[in-house]
Amino acid sequence: ARMRVAVVGAGVSGLTATKCCLDEGLEPTCFEQSQDIGGLWRYTEHVEAGRPSLYASVISNTSKEMSAFSDFPYPEDFPVFLPNARLLDYLRLYTEHFGLQKHIKFGTTVVSVRKRPDFATTGQWDVVTEADGKQMSHIFDAIMVCSGNFYEPSLPLHSFPGIERFQGQYFHSRQYKHPDVFQGKRVLVVGMGNSGVDIAVEASRVATKVTICTSRGAWVFGRVFDHGYPWDMVFNTRFMSLIRNSLPGPLSRALINYRVNQWFSHENYGLKPEQSCQMREPVLNDDLPSYILTGRVTIKPGVKEFKDNSVVFHNCPEEEPVDIVVFCTGYNVSFPFLEETVVKVENKHASLYKYVFPTHLQRPTLAVLGLIKPLGGIMPVTEMQARWVTRVFKGRRANVSSPVYQNTVQTGHVPSMHQEGFLSLETPELRSSLRIDCLVYMDKLASLIGAKPSVLGLLCRDPWLALTIFFGPCSPYQYRLGGPGRWEGARQAIFTQWDRTLKPTKTRVPAGSSSPCPSLLTVLGFLLLLAALFFGF
């Protein structure tokens, strides 16, 4: 009989998990509590309990070529960075193309997932679901948790003295939908992640005054990067990753410092991160510097205390009048359907092997997907996790036979956070602890399933392809060139990635203009120039 797998959630992770189960000959059942696919990317006008909530203007932070599933490129006419509705369109195309719909049970909530009495030998799970007020019990051989972590807001009001006497309005960013709520108001945005900056920029178009307060600061990237190319297609290359990861820590930080300040001086704009936060994920926003420059947005240090109708910042004696406060303070990790002993949280720590498998389970038959925030596209990362997990479930090259993992299972001893790719979840610090170097992590997982491309091997057989995947963008198609799940179209997809990138923007071509995509020689020259700059300071 085929192995039965329960997939919890039909968002990005759940869809690719379902597809990878089918690829490996497993039998997936995907439970989705709402009536449609999309998860985080399905915008609704009203906030729904237990579901992620987007604001209307959300646009992807990663470009379409770098955030495609590895065997399903975006249509060439889709914009380079995707408004939420277009990203949902892509997920619908993916679902239809691979026939995933028939494996999804909509309107079905997973109530509980419990180990069966014979778990130590079978690895099986008792799953209780609820639909139309009726509960049902099921037995599954394995579980893929794809419910994400964007539905339980973290709102630590105890960290903000005086908030109880504040007379104005305040809410978590999860409640935000449209900027008209800020019309003519004095707005304070607490927190400097992507949502905080997006909301501040939007608010400033209708508000009287907008202030962002941040105790840590942040590096700010634009989606539009060098020569107008998407930031991740320039930044996330094997060549650049090799440079970044080969340098000693201080030199690597200096390199990043130099690179991010080429656009504008973060120190002059009040944005430079604290020393301890310099390796955190940057914020993606093309407007913020110009909005600071034109006085539409002001940056302040962290909140010291709230008064009746104002706020006092650290190191700033004067009070600032405020009407509305938006807390962009992130989300808690929460798996309400799991027993605490499954994904253990002790002293606000839990452990996941390679960011996926709970370390203490006797059998690796439960995996958590997408609980990371890569500096790059989440879709290829969760897909790679799913490709690995489904092969572990089947017992093929099940690389949780790592001695470190086995030692953890047998002794209960959890290694240090950086040893063997273990993740230590510090719940309040989720935003910083779950940052990963996308390319390094993808390569690690790909090597576990035999899908990591060999640049040196290709140099002999297909030198043009080898140069393209080393110096060009590390797009997901590279992980379909060989090994299990090999896709015939991968090589062609790599060579046409710039065509698909430029198609939606190069809509007017002057007479006698150059070719529609940057030649590899141009890209090589540009990257070598960057390398010279980096090594020259």
Side-chain angles (χ1 to χ4, degrees), residues 461-494:
R461 300 192 311 274
D462 196 339
W464 193 240
L465 179 62
L467 289 171
T468 305
I469 69 171
F470 184 68
F471 289 104
C474 187
S475 45
Y477 323 119
Q478 295 189 10
Y479 298 103
R480 293 282 181 181
L481 288 168
R486 183 175 177 272
W487 174 46
E488 289 294 332
R491 185 178 185 273
Q492 181 64 14
I494 291 167

Side-chain angles (χ1 to χ4, degrees), residues 393-411:
F393 286 168
K394 279 193 78 166
R396 286 200 207 160
R397 300 189 60 173
N399 279 280
V400 282
S401 59
S402 147
V404 181
Y405 181 86
Q406 291 304 330
N407 180 53
T408 306
V409 170
Q410 289 156 16
T411 66

Side-chain angles (χ1 to χ4, degrees), residues 394-467:
K394 279 193 78 166
R396 286 200 207 160
R397 300 189 60 173
N399 279 280
V400 282
S401 59
S402 147
V404 181
Y405 181 86
Q406 291 304 330
N407 180 53
T408 306
V409 170
Q410 289 156 16
T411 66
H413 167 68
V414 180
S416 71
M417 178 172 168
H418 301 293
Q419 185 182 348
E420 275 290 307
F422 276 84
L423 164 67
S424 181
L425 291 185
E426 176 78 48
T427 310
E429 292 299 327
L430 181 66
R431 290 188 302 270
S432 55
S433 67
L434 298 191
R435 302 303 181 198
I436 58 165
D437 184 317
C438 193
L439 203 157
V440 172
Y441 179 66
M442 290 272 283
D443 273 357
K444 274 183 184 170
L445 293 193
S447 64
L448 294 179
I449 63 169
K452 181 185 171 187
S454 166
V455 177
L456 288 177
L458 282 171
L459 208 50
C460 307
R461 300 192 311 274
D462 196 339
W464 193 240
L465 179 62
L467 289 171

Side-chain angles (χ1 to χ4, degrees), residues 96-398:
E96 186 181 341
H97 182 79
F98 292 108
L100 307 181
Q101 187 100 6
K102 61 179 175 284
H103 300 281
I104 305 171
K105 293 191 181 299
F106 293 107
T108 307
T109 303
V110 174
V111 178
S112 74
V113 174
R114 300 283 183 268
K115 286 189 272 191
R116 301 209 79 214
D118 57 357
F119 179 82
T121 52
T122 65
Q124 289 184 325
W125 300 84
D126 283 318
V127 177
V128 176
T129 59
E130 186 175 309
D132 300 322
K134 294 175 189 163
Q135 291 199 346
M136 281 187 68
S137 296
H138 322 256
I139 297 172
F140 282 99
D141 299 303
I143 310 290
M144 297 175 87
V145 178
C146 304
S147 52
N149 63 290
F150 290 106
Y151 56 86
E152 188 179 296
S154 170
L155 189 51
L157 293 178
H158 59 271
S159 302
F160 300 95
I163 188 69
E164 67 285 344
R165 71 173 198 238
F166 178 62
Q167 302 289 306
Q169 182 185 356
Y170 66 83
F171 55 87
H172 188 273
S173 57
R174 172 177 159 77
Q175 305 295 321
Y176 173 72
K177 293 291 180 181
H178 300 283
D180 48 8
V181 66
F182 302 126
Q183 187 75 45
K185 304 286 189 184
R186 295 164 298 192
V187 181
L188 172 65
V189 175
V190 178
M192 181 126 197
N194 286 305
S195 296
V197 173
D198 279 356
I199 292 169
V201 164
E202 277 198 3
S204 72
R205 294 173 188 144
V206 296
T208 303
K209 183 173 173 46
V210 175
T211 304
I212 300 176
C213 72
T214 170
S215 54
R216 295 173 169 179
W219 297 127
V220 179
F221 277 15
R223 290 181 178 86
V224 183
F225 219 60
D226 299 324
H227 302 278
Y229 296 127
W231 76 271
D232 48 357
M233 293 182 80
V234 177
F235 189 84
N236 283 340
T237 71
R238 293 186 175 278
F239 174 65
M240 297 298 288
S241 178
L242 186 66
I243 292 174
R244 283 194 297 271
N245 293 307
S246 301
L247 296 174
L251 202 54
S252 179
R253 282 192 291 277
L255 161 71
I256 290 170
N257 199 317
Y258 168 78
R259 191 69 189 81
V260 297
N261 282 300
Q262 282 185 307
W263 185 21
F264 68 95
S265 165
H266 285 63
E267 191 168 0
N268 290 350
Y269 283 62
L271 293 169
K272 185 177 179 181
E274 297 291 322
Q275 191 68 34
S276 61
C277 305
Q278 296 211 347
M279 303 307 280
R280 292 177 76 219
E281 183 197 35
V283 170
L284 265 289
N285 194 281
D286 296 277
D287 298 317
L288 184 63
S290 66
Y291 278 52
I292 294 172
L293 204 59
T294 53
R296 294 163 80 169
V297 174
T298 307
I299 308 295
K300 292 280 189 178
V303 170
K304 184 178 179 184
E305 66 171 322
F306 283 97
K307 301 285 182 72
D308 290 359
N309 297 293
S310 63
V311 63
V312 179
F313 301 107
H314 286 291
N315 306 320
C316 298
E318 68 277 3
E319 295 178 21
E320 176 126 355
V322 173
D323 302 308
I324 298 184
V325 181
V326 187
F327 287 101
C328 300
T329 43
Y331 292 83
N332 295 321
V333 183
S334 173
F335 304 109
F337 48 87
L338 290 178
E339 289 177 301
E340 282 186 21
T341 54
V342 174
V343 178
K344 272 187 188 165
V345 179
E346 289 177 356
N347 300 322
K348 297 179 178 173
H349 283 75
S351 293
L352 295 172
Y353 178 69
K354 302 266 186 236
Y355 300 85
V356 173
F357 286 102
T359 54
H360 57 281
L361 290 178
Q362 296 139 302
R363 309 272 294 182
T365 57
L366 182 140
V368 180
L369 270 64
L371 192 64
I372 44 176
K373 296 181 182 174
L375 183 50
I378 186 71
M379 288 188 199
V381 174
T382 56
E383 181 193 37
M384 185 61 74
Q385 288 179 329
R387 288 174 70 185
W388 175 49
V389 164
T390 48
R391 291 179 72 75
V392 168
F393 286 168
K394 279 193 78 166
R396 286 200 207 160
R397 300 189 60 173

